[in-house]
Amino acid sequence: MKCLPERGRIGIFNRSYYEETLVVRVHPEFLAGQKLPQECVSKSIWTERFQDIRCIERYLHRNGTIVRKFFLHVSKEEQQKRFLARLDNPDKNWKYSASDAKERGFWDDYQEAYEEMIRESATEESPWYVVPADNKWFTRVVVAAAVIDTLASLDLHYPKVSEAKRKELAAAKKALLANK
Amino acid sequence: MKCLPERGRIGIFNRSYYEETLVVRVHPEFLAGQKLPQECVSKSIWTERFQDIRCIERYLHRNGTIVRKFFLHVSKEEQQKRFLARLDNPDKNWKYSASDAKERGFWDDYQEAYEEMIRESATEESPWYVVPADNKWFTRVVVAAAVIDTLASLDLHYPKVSEAKRKELAAAKKALLANK
């Protein structure tokens, strides 16, 4: 909420509040680390978090912010290939993280969490785009197309120039030409 | 949202987002000035704003923030007295604002807006306290009592001192006494 773009601007969020329903869900010990009051950690906490997310995005929509969400789906095989490249290729070593490899052990849990997260937070106004991401060029085409479609739907135009303004422009041109 | 206190701290908001359902409602021209996209300004905009407020406060509650709301009700007669004092008393002149006096002309519209705002946004978790405010001492007693009740309901305690810590304290005291 603190980092939202003001109206008329575009903001890009990487991960965002959705992590609160993903990594925290796969590893409940992270939830304990959040030091929530005991009575806030109910059995329905995930349902509540999904509801809060839907409400926040509805609020944004009602106030003129357009929300588009992209899930880049990388297959298990492709992930293995990418992690191996980070180990084998010196230029990619910096990208390697032991915790990424460890999280791979929770693959099925994450898939389940992703699926429910998308089911629970996809709405007509704030849709999820689930994008196959094994081929980066394809991912980029899909995301770019969705962004272009959204911008086009705004039906934006340059401000109309009034008759008075047109005269002002003509006078300015005349003055500029006279003063070489 | 940007100014909310972090968990464990107390924040006091004067007016806050409720103004979006009050002065803007009494003066719809202010709404036009907000430059919302046309499709966002529906007939149900006030219903939607109340719903958004309830959802935001529910979200806060679920995450361990306690919300208490106070409406200080000043009677029409008392308001006249206070405005006159601001005109008559040189020490209070700085407080006088022509727009306050002008808004007095919309008294009934404001009362209606206040009433609906309270009806629509009072919830069990985030209650409104409507406080008679013609006598400042009385207002202060009521608000202070509500704050104290809320703090007491948290059942807060000092951290428990462990056996090991107690030994550490005893050793520190011994060292301190030995070193005059």
Side-chain angles (χ1 to χ4, degrees):
Chain A
M1 295 303 282
K2 285 188 175 176
C3 301
L4 281 169
E6 54 193 301
R7 207 156 56 205
R9 294 192 177 260
I10 295 175
I12 298 172
F13 291 90
N14 186 0
R15 295 164 172 253
S16 83
Y17 41 64
Y18 283 100
E19 287 292 355
E20 290 296 333
T21 66
L22 298 173
V23 64
V24 186
R25 193 163 189 191
V26 173
H27 298 288
E29 65 273 21
F30 292 178
L31 188 61
Q34 295 189 346
K35 300 200 179 179
L36 285 160
Q38 199 51 48
E39 65 272 23
C40 294
V41 188
S42 66
K43 274 198 176 164
S44 54
I45 190 166
W46 309 113
T47 314
E48 291 173 3
R49 287 192 169 183
F50 291 133
Q51 186 184 44
D52 287 336
I53 287 175
R54 287 195 303 271
C55 289
I56 292 272
E57 293 179 353
R58 185 180 62 192
Y59 160 78
L60 292 174
H61 172 77
R62 284 174 175 170
N63 287 276
T65 295
I66 292 172
V67 180
R68 293 291 178 267
K69 302 173 294 200
F70 298 95
F71 180 82
L72 309 190
H73 178 68
V74 173
S75 69
K76 201 171 181 186
E77 297 71 37
E78 175 65 18
Q79 194 193 56
Q80 188 193 36
K81 239 166 71 185
R82 291 193 191 174
F83 284 181
L84 284 174
R86 290 177 194 177
L87 292 165
D88 292 337
N89 185 336
D91 284 357
K92 291 186 174 176
N93 281 171
W94 65 273
K95 253 186 161 177
Y96 180 77
S97 138
S99 79
D100 283 353
K102 202 181 134 235
E103 288 310 296
R104 191 171 155 78
F106 298 93
W107 182 272
D108 290 345
D109 294 339
Y110 272 106
Q111 300 310 309
E112 237 176 84
Y114 292 148
E115 277 186 29
E116 190 170 347
M117 176 273 280
I118 290 165
R119 255 198 319 267
E120 291 286 330
S121 63
T123 63
E124 204 173 325
E125 296 98 10
S126 303
W128 270 106
Y129 292 77
V130 179
V131 188
D134 280 0
N135 293 298
K136 289 190 181 180
W137 69 267
F138 182 78
T139 314
R140 287 167 187 159
V141 166
V142 172
V143 175
V147 171
I148 290 169
D149 281 357
T150 306
L151 287 171
S153 77
L154 295 176
D155 196 26
L156 300 174
H157 298 281
Y158 287 105
K160 274 216 175 122
V161 179
S162 66
E163 196 45 49
K165 184 78 186 169
R166 209 183 307 274
K167 275 184 190 159
E168 198 188 312
L169 296 177
K173 184 175 174 185
K174 207 170 151 187
L176 202 56
L177 286 171
N179 183 9
K180 286 199 181 162
Chain B
M1 294 305 281
K2 285 186 176 179
C3 301
L4 281 169
E6 53 193 302
R7 208 157 56 205
R9 294 190 176 261
I10 295 175
I12 298 172
F13 291 90
N14 186 358
R15 292 161 175 258
S16 83
Y17 41 64
Y18 283 100
E19 286 293 354
E20 290 296 333
T21 66
L22 298 172
V23 64
V24 185
R25 192 163 190 192
V26 173
H27 298 288
E29 65 272 21
F30 291 178
L31 187 60
Q34 296 189 345
K35 301 201 179 178
L36 285 161
Q38 200 51 47
E39 65 272 21
C40 294
V41 188
S42 67
K43 274 195 175 166
S44 53
I45 190 164
W46 308 114
T47 314
E48 291 173 4
R49 288 191 169 185
F50 291 132
Q51 187 183 43
D52 287 337
I53 287 174
R54 287 195 303 269
C55 289
I56 292 271
E57 293 178 353
R58 184 180 61 192
Y59 160 78
L60 291 174
H61 173 77
R62 284 174 174 170
N63 287 277
T65 295
I66 292 172
V67 180
R68 292 292 177 268
K69 303 173 294 199
F70 299 94
F71 179 83
L72 309 189
H73 179 66
V74 173
S75 70
K76 201 170 181 185
E77 298 70 37
E78 176 65 18
Q79 193 193 57
Q80 189 193 37
K81 240 166 68 184
R82 291 193 190 173
F83 283 1
L84 284 174
R86 290 178 193 177
L87 292 165
D88 291 338
N89 184 336
D91 284 358
K92 292 187 175 175
N93 281 173
W94 65 273
K95 252 187 162 178
Y96 179 80
S97 137
S99 79
D100 282 354
K102 205 182 131 232
E103 288 309 297
R104 191 170 153 80
F106 298 94
W107 183 271
D108 291 343
D109 294 338
Y110 273 105
Q111 300 311 308
E112 237 175 84
Y114 292 148
E115 278 186 27
E116 191 171 346
M117 177 272 280
I118 289 165
R119 256 198 319 266
E120 291 285 331
S121 62
T123 63
E124 204 173 325
E125 295 98 9
S126 304
W128 270 106
Y129 292 77
V130 179
V131 187
D134 281 1
N135 294 298
K136 290 189 182 182
W137 69 267
F138 182 79
T139 314
R140 288 169 187 158
V141 166
V142 171
V143 175
V147 171
I148 289 169
D149 281 356
T150 305
L151 287 171
S153 77
L154 294 176
D155 196 25
L156 299 174
H157 299 281
Y158 286 105
K160 275 215 175 122
V161 179
S162 66
E163 196 46 49
K165 185 78 186 170
R166 210 184 308 275
K167 275 183 190 157
E168 197 188 314
L169 297 176
K173 185 175 172 184
K174 206 170 150 188
L176 202 58
L177 286 171
N179 185 10
K180 285 199 181 157

